[in-house]
Amino acid sequence: MIGTPTKLPPIQQLVEIKTVAEQLHFKVSTLLLHGGKVVEAITWFHKHLSSGGQLTGPPEVAFLNWEWLSRQYLVFAELLETSSAAIPSSVSPRSGASDISLTEWELQPAYYYQLSAHYLEKKRYSLDQSLSVQESSEVTDANDSTLESISPSIFVGQYGRLLDQGDTFSMTPLSDGEYTSYALAEGKRYQDSFEIIALFRKSFESFDALKAPRMASFCGSRMAKEHFASGDFGKAKQVFDGIASIYRQEGWVTLLWENLGYLRECSQKLGSQKEFIEYSLEMAALPIFSNGMTITPVDGGDYGPAGAASLSQREIIQEEVFRFLKGETISTNEFNFLPIVSVDQPIHLEVDPVSPLRAVFLASVAFHDQVVKPGVSTLLTLSLLSQLPHPVEIGELDIQFNQPACNFTITGCQERPPASKFVRVEEGSRVENASVLILTTRKWLRLTYEIPSGQSGKLECLSVTAKLGPHCTICCQAESPASMEELPLWKFDQAQNFPTKDPVLSFSGQKIIQVEEPDPLVDLNLNAVGPALVGEIFTIPVSVISKGHAIHSGELKINLVDARGGGLMSPREIEPFSPDDHHVELLGVSGMAEDDEFHETDKIRRIQHSFGLVSVPTLAVDESWSCNLEIKWHRPKPIMLYVSLGYCPTDTEGASQRVNVHRSLQIEGKTPVIISHRFMLPFRCEPLLLSNIKLQPEADQSLSLALKETNILIVSCKNCTEVPLQLTSLSIEPGSNEIAIHSVQRTGGTSTDYVLLVPGEEFKQVFSVVPQCDSSKLGIGFVCLNVSRKMDPDAVRNSSFLVKQKLPDVKVEKPPLLVHIECPPYAVLGVPFTCYVRVQNQTSFLQEIKYSLGDSQSFVFSGPHNNIGYVLPKSECIINYKVVPLGSGMQQLPLLSVMSVRYSAELHPSVAASTIFVFPSQPHFDVEGVSNILDLNCQ
């Protein structure tokens, strides 16, 4: 079928022009956006709208123009969103050549989605008007049947009636009246609400992703209104709730009023009486003071279900909600979905410091004192504030504390004067009467009462619950005047008076008061003798003596705290757990009764290494109880020992409060002894160790020992404490089986067992070390010292403890050459003696040596000053000199030097090995006194 274009009537010609313009605009915009020319595309879009938007047509088809505009914005938004990958990130509204000033939002698809939904709303409004005019006109239903044959033509933007003529079909043109009826029928058939909601949701999500909460809230509000208009109150309420929080933060009272009106209506439709009351009270407490003024809505629509924001409307809403709280039914034009407030369905509202209901009911509590003695009453001022326009009459007030014994209730007593306040007790509950319990708008209601101090510790007012109706209560969390935040929406119009009569109390009052502990009549004593020593089990006696109070349900709490503010745990992370990870450790409690000792000690071990809890048996007046705390130091560290005794003076449960006694003691943990050591070679024996020759600055500086040679190890122990120590034993535990360690037996002197070391005294022990294997890193072992305190014979405990210190690793190697110097122990002036130098070759090679003997002022010698010798493998070479001393006293022999040519190494005897004592004449020794001299020398 081939269509023939004909001249169209005005309305259809207008539709054709707009359709063709839409097709051309789509192609041009697509090319510009895919080319990255965003500003040019937006400029072209504005020209397209300005030219096409002026062709509106007659009023009965004005909805087609709004639909066309909505479709243009939707298409351009989708093009802008799908072409975002080709758009450079550096594009700005000033980029490109454009005579139109653009904004930042015009670069975002969310802006066009919003306008598309906006024009679609206008299309729906215009369509409803056109349909109402059509329904009132004389158009019969018979004409509606002819609309089914109307369909689009093959020409863009044209429509016609398709006629069936047997074997063929023909298209006949339409009149403007027929096309108008067709367009109205098509518009009536589609539901625009779903598309409007989808567009506003798309715009809301886009603005929210752009971190633009204000624009997002605007679009969300329009979306929620569409849900409300379509009857989907659940979704509408969900969106309105999120938007209301933004309006509260921004302080937009008029918008919040409209939003709360919709929330109030949704709650009523959903049958939620509690939320209906909360939204109604919040609306009535908004800072709106205009009365009778007409304010144009922001979006040009209606005012919402709550009407215009005004003071009179606030009063109407308050009266309505309080009638509902009294059990009356709210009169509405529709069915009432809210259940009536009754005994079976009471209402309880919660108000916290961030609740919007703080403007409805605000409770401030201030104690007149900061600290009070136990059993002494103090004054408390309760201040209440409401921003509701009408006065609020309260049935009763219930004040709750963290100590239930202090709770009390305030009831109204209108017939009594203010001076006739009294206290009565009914069934164990304290009740106070107040002359007036009416909250006047924006004025603090002050009530002052005496409060018993209660138990020791913190006394805090938690909440104030007001009874607003027979079955409605509102619980407000108590706030301190000193730290009370202002009402966000009322910060420019505060209350007319202070929360308390004394302005100073308004700025410093607190809802918390400290109740001091009663004076204990029990002595808690800690006794410690001297400083604690690392490694020992330090015992601290603890005694409890009752001097006026009986002790019931007593508990002894023990805490160890670092005195310098650090921790008692080592920063090292060692797996598995080792006791050395703790610098100080509470081991247990001893000295208690036999039936309690094992149980309590085991309990302490299972709690913590720095905390313990011990049960104290029941004690009558003048009785006592004691125990011993066992603490062990693994590192030298000062600690603070805190011991607290908590008990009840009577055995009746809840009849009296607990009394606490606190004691503290600083204990210094010190190292008992300082262990040092040094290695020595045998006297006048010098081995050639190659590792000492090749040693570099960056190399390992560990000590080298000769293989299978006797090395002397001297271990020194010095008492560095303030108490005398008793040395039990000193030994070395070998760290390897290849080392034989033998103690040198001393000839005479004091025994090594049970040596007393006074403060500052040093004790030395000599060991011989004979390495049996060649190793680059060989462990010598540990120095093990058993010591104990030197205490009185009648002391409680005098146990020894072990001090252990590891010796550093050494290198063991076989020396190729070994030099021995042999000479008499002493010399006589002018009497010659022979000095032998024995050089041993322990290798399988012939060793060439160079030796020399230097001149000395104290000696003359016979023999060469310098010479060369050869030592056969596994043999030795002996060099002798005849030496005559020329001076008496301690004299140094001529300097001897032996050099190995193979290793380019030189050996020099030490100064001690080259020193000899010269007598001026031949000495005569008393043989009988030799033993005494040896004993003195050994000591």
Side-chain angles (χ1 to χ4, degrees):
M1 182 181 67
I2 300 175
T4 302
T6 58
K7 184 174 179 61
L8 299 176
I11 295 178
Q12 298 181 63
Q13 187 177 8
L14 180 63
V15 172
E16 181 184 20
I17 293 173
K18 287 192 171 186
T19 305
V20 173
E22 181 179 354
Q23 296 282 347
L24 294 175
H25 164 68
F26 175 79
K27 296 180 180 296
V28 174
S29 297
T30 302
L31 293 174
L32 290 174
L33 289 175
H34 280 279
K37 300 179 180 180
V38 184
V39 178
E40 289 79 358
I42 296 175
T43 304
W44 171 263
F45 178 69
H46 282 295
K47 291 180 180 179
H48 170 66
L49 291 182
S50 62
S51 59
Q54 297 177 358
L55 305 176
T56 58
E60 60 270 16
V61 291
F63 67 93
L64 295 177
N65 180 57
W66 300 123
E67 182 182 14
W68 182 83
L69 287 173
S70 174
R71 189 165 57 252
Q72 305 312 303
Y73 279 99
L74 174 61
V75 171
F76 192 74
E78 292 176 347
L79 286 175
L80 196 62
E81 189 173 23
T82 55
S83 304
S84 58
I87 300 174
S89 58
S90 59
V91 173
S92 64
R94 298 183 180 180
S95 303
S98 175
D99 298 335
I100 303 175
S101 60
L102 304 179
T103 62
E104 293 285 347
W105 293 125
E106 293 184 74
L107 298 175
Q108 305 298 333
Y111 171 77
Y112 300 95
Y113 282 123
Q114 172 205 340
L115 290 178
S116 176
H118 170 70
Y119 285 115
L120 197 58
E121 284 182 325
K122 287 193 171 184
K123 177 251 181 179
R124 183 181 60 183
Y125 177 74
S126 178
L127 177 64
D128 292 340
Q129 289 184 334
S130 299
L131 289 174
S132 63
V133 173
Q134 183 189 36
E135 290 175 357
S136 61
S137 63
E138 297 179 356
V139 179
T140 60
D141 296 338
N143 293 333
D144 295 338
S145 61
T146 61
L147 300 179
E148 298 179 357
S149 61
I150 298 177
S151 63
S153 174
I154 61 174
F155 298 103
V156 177
Q158 293 186 10
Y159 290 83
R161 182 180 292 106
L162 187 64
L163 299 178
D164 186 3
Q165 297 178 353
D167 296 336
T168 61
F169 293 93
S170 63
M171 184 73 71
T172 60
L174 300 176
S175 64
D176 279 348
E178 293 175 334
Y179 178 77
T180 300
S181 300
Y182 168 76
L184 289 173
E186 288 294 314
K188 185 178 181 180
R189 189 159 58 94
Y190 291 102
Q191 295 291 334
D192 293 329
S193 294
F194 298 105
E195 189 172 355
I196 293 173
I197 291 174
L199 290 173
F200 274 127
R201 179 180 291 108
K202 187 73 173 177
S203 179
F204 170 78
E205 293 173 352
S206 300
F207 279 122
D208 189 57
L210 293 172
K211 307 299 181 183
R214 296 180 178 179
M215 289 298 299
S217 63
F218 174 75
C219 297
S221 177
R222 302 288 291 273
M223 176 178 62
K225 291 178 182 178
E226 285 296 327
H227 281 300
F228 183 85
S230 61
D232 193 351
F233 302 110
K235 291 184 179 179
K237 180 180 178 300
Q238 182 180 0
V239 179
F240 276 127
D241 272 327
I243 297 171
S245 62
I246 298 178
Y247 289 166
R248 294 186 188 105
Q249 295 175 3
E250 298 289 346
W252 295 340
V253 178
T254 305
L255 294 178
L256 181 59
W257 170 274
E258 180 185 3
N259 196 80
L260 291 175
Y262 279 103
L263 285 171
R264 181 171 179 263
E265 194 70 18
C266 290
S267 301
Q268 183 177 358
K269 299 295 184 183
L270 296 173
S272 176
Q273 56 179 194
K274 180 179 179 180
E275 293 181 337
F276 174 81
I277 294 172
E278 289 178 346
Y279 295 135
S280 300
L281 291 176
E282 184 180 357
M283 290 182 68
L286 289 178
I288 299 174
F289 305 103
S290 60
N291 198 356
M293 296 178 59
T294 302
I295 303 176
T296 304
V298 177
D299 57 355
D302 55 7
Y303 295 99
S310 62
L311 179 61
S312 59
Q313 194 67 20
R314 288 175 56 200
E315 296 173 349
I316 293 174
I317 292 176
Q318 181 183 352
E319 293 174 356
E320 184 181 70
V321 71
F322 272 87
R323 288 200 309 270
F324 179 69
L325 293 177
K326 294 179 180 179
E328 300 180 10
T329 305
I330 301 178
S331 59
T332 57
N333 297 329
E334 302 178 1
F335 293 103
N336 186 19
F337 298 94
L338 284 177
I340 299 176
V341 179
S342 60
V343 180
D344 298 331
Q345 294 181 334
I347 297 296
H348 180 72
L349 306 178
E350 298 283 346
V351 181
D352 53 37
V354 295
S355 172
L357 295 181
R358 287 181 72 235
V360 177
F361 187 70
L362 178 61
S364 170
V365 177
F367 284 98
H368 289 214
D369 299 311
Q370 296 181 355
V371 180
V372 66
K373 293 286 185 180
V376 179
S377 300
T378 182
L379 292 179
L380 176 139
T381 296
L382 170 64
S383 305
L384 306 176
L385 179 66
S386 176
Q387 305 289 352
L388 295 175
H390 283 314
V392 179
E393 183 176 353
I394 300 175
E396 65 179 26
L397 292 171
D398 188 15
I399 293 85
Q400 301 288 330
F401 295 85
N402 63 332
Q403 298 184 15
C406 299
N407 297 344
F408 67 97
T409 302
I410 303 175
T411 60
C413 185
Q414 301 293 338
E415 68 276 4
R416 292 180 178 272
S420 62
K421 298 180 182 179
F422 65 99
V423 178
R424 71 176 186 271
V425 177
E426 296 180 355
E427 298 179 358
S429 176
R430 177 187 170 196
V431 179
E432 296 276 356
N433 281 347
S435 59
V436 177
L437 279 182
I438 298 177
L439 296 181
T440 306
T441 178
R442 299 167 58 201
K443 284 189 177 181
W444 288 97
L445 173 64
R446 309 188 190 104
L447 302 171
T448 303
Y449 296 97
E450 285 189 0
I451 304 297
S453 58
Q455 297 183 1
S456 60
K458 182 179 70 173
L459 177 60
E460 178 183 4
C461 182
L462 301 178
S463 63
V464 178
T465 303
K467 190 173 183 180
L468 300 181
H471 311 294
C472 176
T473 56
I474 178 169
C475 179
C476 181
Q477 182 176 333
E479 300 184 35
S480 302
S483 59
M484 184 171 54
E485 297 289 340
E486 61 183 7
L487 298 174
L489 299 178
W490 289 87
K491 58 184 177 181
F492 299 111
D493 196 346
Q494 299 294 334
Q496 300 178 4
N497 53 357
F498 290 104
T500 60
K501 188 175 182 180
D502 184 6
V504 177
L505 191 60
S506 298
F507 294 102
S508 62
Q510 297 291 336
K511 66 174 183 177
I512 301 175
I513 190 173
Q514 187 68 30
V515 181
E516 295 181 346
E517 295 184 354
D519 296 332
L521 299 179
V522 171
D523 283 347
L524 177 62
N525 299 321
L526 304 178
N527 299 317
V529 180
L533 304 181
V534 174
E536 77 165 334
I537 299 178
F538 190 67
T539 303
I540 302 176
V542 179
S543 61
V544 178
I545 304 173
S546 175
K547 293 188 175 181
H549 277 170
I551 297 178
H552 300 274
S553 303
E555 288 182 346
L556 199 66
K557 296 181 180 179
I558 305 132
N559 278 282
L560 302 181
V561 181
D562 188 356
R564 297 175 181 173
L568 298 180
M569 185 73 177
S570 174
R572 300 176 302 163
E573 295 182 359
I574 302 177
E575 293 293 341
F577 173 78
S578 172
D580 291 341
D581 292 347
H582 290 82
H583 292 170
V584 185
E585 182 182 6
L586 176 62
L587 298 181
V589 179
S590 62
M592 299 184 297
E594 294 182 357
D595 56 345
D596 295 336
E597 182 175 359
F598 176 80
H599 173 72
E600 297 298 338
T601 304
D602 187 64
K603 183 178 180 182
I604 290 179
R605 290 181 185 274
R606 291 182 180 179
I607 296 177
Q608 284 184 6
H609 291 272
S610 60
F611 173 78
L613 183 64
V614 180
S615 296
V616 179
T618 302
L619 299 178
V621 179
D622 296 333
E623 289 185 351
S624 63
W625 176 84
S626 63
C627 65
N628 296 320
L629 306 182
E630 296 180 351
I631 306 175
K632 186 175 182 180
W633 270 256
H634 300 284
R635 300 286 189 276
K637 179 182 286 290
I639 68 162
M640 288 297 298
L641 171 64
Y642 295 96
V643 179
S644 301
L645 172 65
Y647 67 94
C648 294
T650 60
D651 58 350
T652 305
E653 186 69 24
S656 63
Q657 59 184 353
R658 293 186 66 84
V659 182
N660 296 291
V661 186
H662 307 282
R663 294 292 184 268
S664 63
L665 180 66
Q666 182 171 351
I667 306 173
E668 186 78 18
K670 295 184 177 182
T671 302
V673 293
I674 297 178
I675 300 177
S676 60
H677 73 282
R678 64 188 180 99
F679 282 93
M680 296 180 61
L681 295 172
F683 189 59
R684 293 175 178 171
C685 178
E686 296 290 339
L688 177 62
L689 301 177
L690 299 181
S691 60
N692 294 338
I693 300 173
K694 302 177 181 179
L695 189 63
Q696 299 179 358
E698 296 82 6
D700 188 9
Q701 301 293 332
S702 60
L703 183 66
S704 297
L705 299 181
L707 178 64
K708 296 183 180 180
E709 295 292 335
T710 301
N711 298 272
I712 305 302
L713 173 61
I714 301 177
V715 179
S716 301
C717 303
K718 183 179 180 180
N719 184 357
C720 58
T721 65
E722 303 170 358
V723 297
L725 299 177
Q726 186 169 339
L727 175 62
T728 305
S729 64
L730 176 60
S731 61
I732 294 180
E733 295 181 1
S736 175
N737 294 329
E738 288 79 9
I739 297 181
I741 301 178
H742 304 283
S743 175
V744 176
Q745 299 295 329
R746 303 181 62 183
T747 56
T750 307
S751 175
T752 56
D753 296 335
Y754 301 101
V755 176
L756 180 63
L757 293 179
V758 298
E761 186 179 0
E762 186 176 6
F763 174 80
K764 295 182 179 181
Q765 180 67 60
V766 180
F767 299 90
S768 62
V769 180
V770 182
Q772 301 294 334
C773 68
D774 193 353
S775 175
S776 61
K777 188 176 182 181
L778 191 61
I780 299 297
F782 294 86
V783 177
C784 298
L785 179 66
N786 284 309
V787 295
S788 62
R789 290 174 181 260
K790 182 61 177 176
M791 303 179 67
D792 297 334
D794 55 349
V796 178
R797 203 168 200 174
N798 191 14
S799 60
S800 62
F801 57 94
L802 178 64
V803 178
K804 197 173 184 180
Q805 179 173 314
K806 187 179 185 302
L807 293 172
D809 297 336
V810 296
K811 293 181 180 178
V812 179
E813 58 180 304
K814 184 177 181 180
L817 295 177
L818 199 61
V819 178
H820 294 272
I821 300 175
E822 299 178 0
C823 63
Y826 63 91
V828 179
L829 181 64
V831 179
F833 64 91
T834 304
C835 181
Y836 298 93
V837 178
R838 189 188 305 272
V839 181
Q840 295 180 354
N841 181 9
Q842 299 186 3
T843 66
S844 301
F845 306 99
L846 179 67
Q847 296 286 346
E848 180 183 357
I849 61 173
K850 294 181 180 181
Y851 57 92
S852 63
L853 197 64
D855 294 330
S856 176
Q857 296 180 356
S858 302
F859 295 91
V860 292
F861 62 91
S862 63
H865 282 73
N866 300 284
N867 201 355
I868 298 176
Y870 297 90
V871 186
L872 295 176
K874 304 295 182 178
S875 64
E876 63 182 18
C877 174
I878 300 176
I879 306 169
N880 58 68
Y881 288 91
K882 205 66 164 178
V883 183
V884 179
L886 302 179
S888 61
M890 296 296 296
Q891 301 295 333
Q892 187 174 359
L893 293 171
L895 181 60
L896 174 67
S897 175
V898 179
M899 179 179 179
S900 173
V901 178
R902 182 181 184 88
Y903 300 108
S904 300
E906 190 174 4
L907 289 175
H908 297 281
S910 62
V911 177
S914 302
T915 303
I916 189 172
F917 186 81
V918 180
F919 287 95
S921 61
Q922 184 67 34
H924 298 281
F925 300 106
D926 185 6
V927 179
E928 296 179 356
V930 170
S931 59
N932 297 330
I933 295 175
L934 291 177
D935 290 342
L936 293 175
N937 291 336
C938 292
Q939 292 178 0

